[in-house]
Amino acid sequence: MIIAPSILSADFGRLRDEIQAVEDAGADWIHVDVMDGHFVPNLTLGPPVIACIRKVTTLPLDVHLMIEKPQSSISQYADAGADWITIHQEADAHLHRAVDHIKKLGIKAGVSINPASPVSLLENILQDLDLVLVMSVNPGFGGQSFLPFCLDKVKQLRNQIDQNSMQTLIEIDGGINSNTLPLAMRSGAEVFVAGSAVFRGTNYKKNIEDLRNSAAQNS
Ligand code: DX5
Ligand code: ZN
């Protein structure tokens, strides 16, 4: 299992310390939520900040683009140091071209679907993806409640990926905590984004351990 703390829930005034703290606490990836104020009603950060984050961690940067027309800025995120770039199915009418662009830059490519979007929208692109991200909240904010109906989409994807011997990773994002992580894992997810469940209190190591242990205890 891969645990990817979302820095959306970090203290942005101490971002370097927060990233180093979750790295020391056992995070596998750093999940970076990019929001443009259009695709989602919130605005966060962009390539200049990601370039700064790149300098303070050796962990893979998992960049989740919640932005409209992502293709026009993909190369900026690649230059900034993203290892994984995930765009939204709902945000680009030319998904195949955008995914191809990411891969040609030597970056791992992901596509995300919002809670209201069915898995069938990915039917003709799944084989090209390194990662598929199932949103289990409506994107835009941390700290929202997990939407259980999204688990069925994880199961559908798990079946399609396994039946066709694909290597595509399934990531889940939104409302992941020690109660919901085991459900997502049993449905077939492998990468777990967690914002508020990691960046709460002061003991991030225990928070991450609790997530890992929840999977072991409930499997
Ligand atoms: C939501 C973001 C998530 C968010 C997760 O739009 O994509 O990555 O930070 O936060 P929690 O884990 O608090 O739901
Ligand atoms: Zn995210």
Side-chain angles (χ1 to χ4, degrees), residues 46-57:
V49 176
I50 294 174
C52 294
I53 295 171
R54 180 68 290 166
K55 290 184 194 149
V56 301
T57 181

Side-chain angles (χ1 to χ4, degrees), residues 100-196:
D100 195 50
H101 186 178
I102 297 172
K103 291 167 74 169
K104 284 200 170 118
L105 292 168
I107 312 291
K108 301 282 190 190
V111 168
S112 181
I113 49 172
N114 282 334
S117 298
V119 164
S120 58
L121 291 170
L122 301 175
E123 188 178 324
N124 296 318
I125 195 83
L126 194 57
Q127 71 277 2
D128 297 318
L129 302 181
D130 297 300
L131 178 147
V132 58
L133 170 55
V134 176
M135 286 307 301
S136 41
V137 297
N138 288 293
F141 304 95
Q144 301 181 80
S145 296
F146 185 80
L147 296 170
F149 72 86
C150 297
L151 290 170
D152 191 53
K153 295 197 280 180
V154 175
K155 287 179 196 156
Q156 290 176 44
L157 284 161
R158 180 80 274 149
N159 286 338
Q160 289 176 27
I161 288 167
D162 290 349
Q163 278 167 15
N164 295 289
S165 305
M166 298 176 194
Q167 301 302 313
T168 316
L169 287 175
I170 302 178
E171 180 175 45
I172 190 157
D173 181 6
I176 292 295
N177 55 39
S178 49
N179 294 319
T180 56
L181 186 149
L183 305 175
M185 176 170 261
R186 278 204 294 278
S187 300
E190 302 150 295
V191 184
F192 304 90
V193 177
S196 43

Side-chain angles (χ1 to χ4, degrees), residues 4 6-8 31-35 62-66 88 112 133 135 137 139-141 171-174 193-194:
S6 161
I7 58 164
L8 189 62
H31 184 83
V32 183
D33 287 307
V34 177
M35 303 184 184
D62 175 31
V63 176
H64 177 193
L65 296 183
M66 285 159 277
H88 266 261
S112 181
L133 170 55
M135 286 307 301
V137 297
F141 304 95
E171 180 175 45
I172 190 157
D173 181 6
V193 177

